[in-house]
Amino acid sequence: MELDISSQINAFNEFFTTIHKNRINELLLVYPTKKSLMVDYQELEKFDPELADALVKAPDVIIEAAKEAITQLNLTLPTGQLFTPNIRFCNVPCEETLIEEIGSKDINELVAFKCVVTKRAEIMHRVKLAVYKCQLCDAEVRIIVGKNFSPPKRCDSCKKYALKQEEEESTFTDIQRAEAQELLERTKGGAPAAHIELLLEDDLVNKIAPGDNIEISGILRLRPPLKTRQKQELVYSRYVEANNVTSLKRDFEEIEITKEDERRINELAKNPEVGTTIMRSIAPSIYGHTEVKKAIALQLFGGTKGKIMRGGASIRDTIHILLIGDPGIAKSRFLQSVSEIAPKSIYVSGKSVSGAGLTVAAEKDELGEGGWTLKAGALVLASGGSAQIDEFDKIDDEDRASLHEAMETGSISVAKAGIVATFKTKTAILAAANPKYGRFDQTKNLSDQFDVPPTLLSRFDLIFPIVDVLDEEKDAKLAQHILDTHMNINQDYDDAIDRDLLRKYISYARRKILPKLTLDASGKIKDFYIDLRRKSKDAGSVAITPRYLEGLVRLAEANAKMRLCKTVDVEDAEMAISLFNYVMSQIMTDKETGAFDVDVVATGKPKSEREKLQKADTILDIIRDHLRKNDTADVEQVISDAKSYDIDDKTAKKIIAELLRRGVVYEKEYGHIRIVGE
């Protein structure tokens, strides 16, 4: 028996011709590129509360009434095609609903909840309009496929069982299965996160990806029980037939900014001290560390995007920062503060992350046809945003190696399980690590104590060693700051920007401001680069490389964005240079010679160390020459021969003593040595 839905159709007719008229006209211009008409549930509730309640209790009936109301408007496109959009409802209340609370009371009703996507299968195709032809009398039957569809077997004309489906003439629609789970922050203490299967149809297909936080509204359906050989148990599994999907975790570029927000943002930018204010707004609970906060602020703004080299290769605009420091001095707090500000960010930690988890994993597809699928990892999911990697030094070497390409080119090339693909990873990385021996030794080069491969270190634009220095006055201020925080005493945060406004400010700058280098700023950076290279030539070391020159440009552009300025001026270049100089003075300085040396990071050893190693290799070569002619090498003779290689007697004796101590050579008899194992 068919329900009488004429009253609902009339209500929707009035709703569409009054409140939603503009949206229908907008959709008409882009249909069928966009196929869905978005209906705001809150607006529908204001217009007709009973209709909104009926939508929740009997969504199939109400959605059918809405579609019929659109059809009755007789809207046609210039091509003559009939206007039949999908009706999708957004802003359905979902704040209180948890997946684990959705039960049998909700079957065939409209449910809405927030979740995170864990899996997504390949697209499949379902028949929308089935066409059957009789093999005997050529009669044709056209049937719209609904949810309780059963295929006809008997021909109405000749009454014979000779119907066969004509696949070529049937109409298909795209469908896709996905799986979602409860948002981790909403799970009840100790309870596992509840899962639910989703079914996406038509233009919702490929709208979500694993890792996306989404808000979903749909109809709870039951899947018929599987028939086993022995018996059929009447136990049904469930899934949600999605009506609408809204992404919750958005890029900075996707944040909605109103006219009022824009006015407040421009008001903020007029303040000449806006850079300092933004810096104070990042991790305000952490005392000091001005340079680190400044660098993190610049990272959030990023360089000018969309720049392309000759030949078509894109230039990286993301800024990568590494914090290496003694334990217990708020490195993780810095990472968490960025995670809270950036709308699209992922926080991962050391031993709990693998190379596949950071980049891309291949796994069996249980939702589709059982083939292999690629599952996006943290850096891919955070593309367009920020990734925070804590305990960076605890990640296995082979897992860390997967970061090289992601950090430099902003993409990951994958060849796994017969699938070859490239994923975007335009992700700004903020990493934190501990020194090699747990705490820094102030008497040695700090760079010798980094437990991160030099090849990876050189890809970071800025590396900050955070050293726990014993200073009574500073310690007293820090202690007071921490205690005041615990006592809830209002500290001097008056000029700190509200987090929501800061997020919108950064979003506005990233979206609207694309600063270009001026000749003055370019000249300033060029002079700094050439001057450092000249000093390097005199010292016989390399103080700066072209990779760091690009990093300086990115930092200067980010500083211009922070001021909402469309040109990179001299003050921006000076800010970038001062930050780089700070990092160089901390880690790129050879303690023995006092000279700047970028190879401290690039090779892990300063020039003075490398020269010692080269001299030791020369002494070993001299010893080998002697051993070819004699059974042992005379120490005095070796020292004498070393003079021709510009190694004085004192240095040669020191090197031989060191080789003996390390067990590389041994003394066969007094004054005569041999190499171990040769």
Side-chain angles (χ1 to χ4, degrees):
M1 189 181 108
E2 287 202 8
L3 290 168
D4 180 23
I5 56 169
S6 53
S7 59
Q8 284 92 337
I9 293 170
N10 292 336
F12 270 114
N13 261 322
E14 192 183 337
F15 181 70
F16 288 143
T17 49
T18 53
I19 294 169
H20 254 56
K21 193 175 182 182
N22 289 341
R23 286 199 192 173
I24 291 172
N25 291 337
E26 284 168 15
L27 185 62
L28 267 168
L29 297 172
V30 290
Y31 189 86
T33 310
K34 284 189 177 177
K35 294 182 181 177
S36 292
L37 177 68
M38 303 304 292
V39 177
D40 193 320
Y41 179 84
Q42 309 291 345
E43 286 181 10
L44 183 67
E45 195 172 35
K46 280 181 194 169
F47 174 77
D48 188 338
E50 285 182 13
L51 190 62
D53 289 344
L55 171 67
V56 174
K57 292 295 173 190
D60 289 316
V61 174
I62 302 302
I63 291 169
E64 191 55 46
K67 285 183 179 175
E68 185 58 38
I70 288 279
T71 310
Q72 287 183 11
L73 293 175
N74 284 326
L75 299 167
T76 52
L77 302 166
T79 55
Q81 187 183 353
L82 198 64
F83 179 61
T84 53
N86 298 314
I87 311 293
R88 305 207 182 280
F89 293 90
C90 58
N91 281 340
V92 180
C94 67
E95 289 306 314
E96 303 302 317
T97 313
L98 296 172
I99 294 174
E100 62 183 38
E101 290 169 359
I102 296 170
S104 53
K105 64 183 187 306
D106 302 305
I107 295 166
N108 292 328
E109 291 189 5
L110 190 75
V111 291
F113 51 88
K114 292 178 180 178
C115 56
V116 57
V117 182
T118 52
K119 280 185 191 172
R120 188 186 85 179
E122 292 295 314
I123 296 175
M124 293 184 282
H125 311 286
R126 184 165 70 189
V127 179
K128 198 175 182 183
L129 178 72
V131 178
Y132 289 87
K133 220 170 194 177
C134 181
Q135 301 288 88
L136 300 173
C137 68
D138 279 351
E140 201 172 76
V141 183
R142 290 174 175 267
I143 305 168
I144 292 171
V145 178
K147 56 177 192 297
N148 295 322
F149 172 76
S150 57
K153 291 172 184 171
R154 193 172 174 183
C155 173
D156 289 343
S157 301
C158 65
K159 309 296 180 191
K160 297 278 193 287
Y161 291 91
L163 284 179
K164 189 187 174 189
Q165 188 188 346
E166 293 289 315
E167 286 169 0
E168 288 179 11
E169 291 181 39
S170 298
T171 310
F172 290 84
T173 185
D174 296 337
I175 65 162
Q176 188 174 44
R177 285 203 180 102
E179 191 181 85
Q181 73 172 41
E182 201 79 76
L183 289 175
L184 294 176
E185 60 266 27
R186 298 185 72 187
T187 51
K188 293 175 181 174
H195 285 70
I196 198 160
E197 194 181 315
L198 311 175
L199 183 70
L200 309 165
E201 199 169 330
D202 202 11
D203 54 343
L204 291 183
V205 161
N206 284 345
K207 240 192 159 184
I208 60 173
D212 286 358
N213 284 16
I214 60 168
E215 189 179 292
I216 193 156
S217 57
I219 304 165
L220 186 70
R221 304 276 193 212
L222 294 180
R223 182 167 287 118
L226 292 170
K227 289 180 183 177
T228 56
R229 284 181 185 175
Q230 291 83 16
K231 56 182 177 177
Q232 180 183 343
E233 286 190 17
L234 295 177
V235 177
Y236 293 75
S237 59
R238 63 183 185 166
Y239 67 96
V240 170
E241 189 181 293
N243 174 264
N244 186 46
V245 172
T246 311
S247 176
L248 293 176
K249 220 167 197 185
R250 297 167 294 175
D251 294 14
F252 273 121
E253 282 79 353
E254 293 169 3
I255 291 176
E256 201 174 311
I257 296 171
T258 61
K259 292 280 181 196
E260 174 59 22
D261 291 331
E262 204 168 320
R263 187 192 64 73
R264 289 172 71 196
I265 286 164
N266 286 314
E267 196 71 36
L268 258 178
K270 286 175 188 169
N271 179 0
E273 295 297 312
V274 68
T276 311
T277 310
I278 288 170
M279 182 197 76
R280 282 176 63 87
S281 308
I282 289 165
S285 60
I286 299 172
Y287 177 77
H289 300 301
T290 312
E291 287 81 9
V292 177
K293 288 184 181 182
K294 186 74 182 173
I296 289 172
L298 294 178
Q299 184 189 46
L300 285 166
F301 284 88
T304 303
K305 61 180 182 180
K307 291 191 291 183
I308 293 170
M309 293 186 240
R310 286 178 190 168
S314 61
I315 299 174
R316 167 161 75 94
D317 61 299
T318 50
I319 295 167
H320 303 312
I321 298 170
L322 176 63
L323 312 176
I324 299 187
D326 294 330
I329 46 176
K331 297 188 300 297
S332 299
R333 192 76 64 83
F334 275 124
L335 269 61
Q336 284 160 0
S337 69
V338 174
S339 181
E340 287 161 7
I341 294 168
K344 190 176 185 183
S345 73
I346 288 182
Y347 181 99
V348 295
S349 180
K351 275 289 181 189
S352 62
V353 72
S354 66
L358 278 172
T359 55
V360 177
E363 61 174 42
K364 275 279 189 186
D365 177 19
E366 302 299 333
L367 296 170
E369 299 299 308
W372 286 88
T373 57
L374 292 180
K375 197 167 183 180
L379 295 185
V380 180
L381 296 175
S383 186
S386 171
Q388 299 84 45
I389 308 174
D390 206 351
E391 306 290 348
F392 193 65
D393 51 316
K394 309 291 188 301
I395 303 172
D396 293 337
D397 286 346
E398 56 193 65
D399 292 333
R400 267 195 308 225
S402 60
L403 294 173
H404 285 88
E405 183 192 359
M407 289 179 73
E408 194 52 46
T409 63
S411 63
I412 287 174
S413 307
V414 188
K416 290 183 179 184
I419 308 168
V420 180
T422 302
F423 288 77
K424 274 188 181 176
T425 57
K426 292 201 168 176
T427 310
I429 293 175
L430 176 63
N434 288 106
K436 199 181 288 185
Y437 307 111
R439 199 172 270 280
F440 278 124
D441 182 348
Q442 294 293 313
T443 60
K444 296 177 182 171
N445 284 318
L446 296 186
S447 55
D448 290 349
Q449 302 170 62
F450 294 170
D451 201 10
V452 179
T455 47
L456 205 52
L457 278 177
S458 66
R459 279 168 170 75
F460 285 98
D461 296 271
L462 295 169
I463 303 163
F464 289 96
I466 305 176
V467 185
D468 192 0
V469 181
L470 300 171
D471 178 333
E472 199 169 324
E473 189 183 338
K474 191 180 168 190
D475 291 345
K477 285 180 181 174
L478 174 59
Q480 193 58 51
H481 179 89
I482 293 167
L483 293 169
D484 285 351
T485 306
H486 283 276
M487 290 159 66
N488 284 328
I489 292 175
N490 288 328
Q491 292 157 323
D492 185 21
Y493 299 151
D494 297 342
D495 61 343
I497 305 168
D498 169 64
R499 190 184 296 159
D500 195 41
L501 180 60
L502 178 61
R503 196 178 284 148
K504 286 178 178 176
Y505 188 99
I506 296 167
S507 169
Y508 182 83
R510 286 173 69 118
R511 202 184 307 175
K512 300 278 179 79
I513 312 296
L514 300 171
K516 291 187 177 172
L517 265 176
T518 58
L519 281 172
D520 290 345
S522 172
K524 186 88 183 167
I525 293 171
K526 182 182 172 186
D527 291 346
F528 174 70
Y529 178 75
I530 291 168
D531 187 43
L532 270 183
R533 297 287 287 188
R534 192 187 297 120
K535 284 179 184 170
S536 306
K537 196 175 176 185
D538 299 340
S541 61
V542 180
I544 191 169
T545 60
R547 179 177 273 168
Y548 288 106
L549 180 64
E550 283 195 349
L552 283 168
V553 173
R554 279 192 288 275
L555 291 167
E557 287 169 349
N559 200 64
K561 271 188 183 180
M562 198 188 286
R563 300 185 297 114
L564 299 192
C565 185
K566 298 204 173 176
T567 55
V568 179
D569 300 328
V570 173
E571 65 176 285
D572 302 312
E574 283 172 347
M575 167 56 71
I577 288 166
S578 71
L579 260 180
F580 189 72
N581 266 331
Y582 175 79
V583 169
M584 285 186 81
S585 66
Q586 294 286 310
I587 61 161
M588 295 184 192
T589 308
D590 185 346
K591 271 210 184 298
E592 283 201 19
T593 62
F596 282 160
D597 186 358
V598 81
D599 286 345
V600 167
V601 169
T603 64
K605 295 195 184 306
K607 181 172 178 282
S608 57
E609 284 280 320
R610 293 196 308 278
E611 280 179 352
K612 276 184 196 170
L613 290 173
Q614 285 162 2
K615 285 175 181 175
D617 286 344
T618 306
I619 296 282
L620 281 170
D621 286 340
I622 294 168
I623 294 169
R624 283 190 188 98
D625 272 346
H626 282 266
L627 290 174
R628 285 190 194 103
K629 300 166 197 166
N630 306 306
D631 185 46
T632 57
D634 187 324
V635 172
E636 292 300 325
Q637 197 63 48
V638 170
I639 292 167
S640 174
D641 289 354
K643 285 179 187 169
S644 58
Y645 293 95
D646 291 333
I647 302 172
D648 58 66
D649 291 4
K650 190 180 175 186
T651 307
K653 282 177 183 172
K654 213 172 178 182
I655 290 168
I656 292 169
E658 179 67 17
L659 291 172
L660 281 163
R661 189 185 66 77
R662 282 167 43 206
V664 177
V665 299
Y666 67 95
E667 207 167 24
K668 193 172 182 187
E669 54 192 69
Y670 181 74
H672 290 78
I673 53 177
R674 282 182 64 85
I675 297 174
V676 174
E678 288 188 19

